[in-house]
Amino acid sequence: MARGTRRNLKKQAFWRRRLRAQAGSGLSVRAWCRQHDTRESAFYWWRAQLARRGAEAPPFAPVRVVADTVPEAAGRIEIVLPGDRRVHIIGQVERRMLADVLAVLADGGRVGEAPAC
């Protein structure tokens, strides 16, 4: 990485928390920034940066595939997420729909927000 482009992961995590807090506050960006002594320009800059960075590298999660030989288990999938949260799928499902559901769950289950990157 070129000098000066090293990413500070703590700073990114800090701004992700702030972006989620604003989104869940019900306040406009301007009102939230005033209330939390934050420059609007910094807020918008970080929002754009984190969205761009999220598009650069999709998140990966460890997966364990287990073959079940029980006939009634055919066509079933169980996905175990961190915190022992589970997704059970029976039958066919559209790939995009499953990806959307998993993205929401990976982001802590906050519906209506842009995924955290």
Side-chain angles (χ1 to χ4, degrees), residues 24-106:
S25 72
L27 297 172
S28 68
V29 170
R30 176 165 288 167
W32 189 91
C33 286
R34 283 183 183 156
Q35 212 174 65
H36 292 86
D37 196 29
T38 301
R39 287 188 345 251
E40 264 186 85
S41 60
F43 183 94
Y44 285 118
W45 187 88
W46 274 101
R47 187 168 74 176
Q49 286 298 309
L50 293 175
R52 183 183 58 79
R53 291 174 188 179
E56 289 175 1
F60 289 95
V63 175
R64 189 180 81 204
V65 177
V66 178
D68 198 334
T69 58
V70 180
E72 53 272 5
R76 296 177 186 223
I77 299 172
E78 179 182 54
I79 301 169
V80 181
L81 298 165
D84 203 36
R85 294 179 299 159
R86 297 169 186 264
V87 176
H88 295 269
I89 301 167
I90 300 171
Q92 293 183 337
V93 66
E94 291 180 30
R95 182 192 61 79
R96 184 69 216 161
M97 182 185 299
L98 179 57
D100 290 344
V101 168
L102 293 175
V104 168
L105 292 173

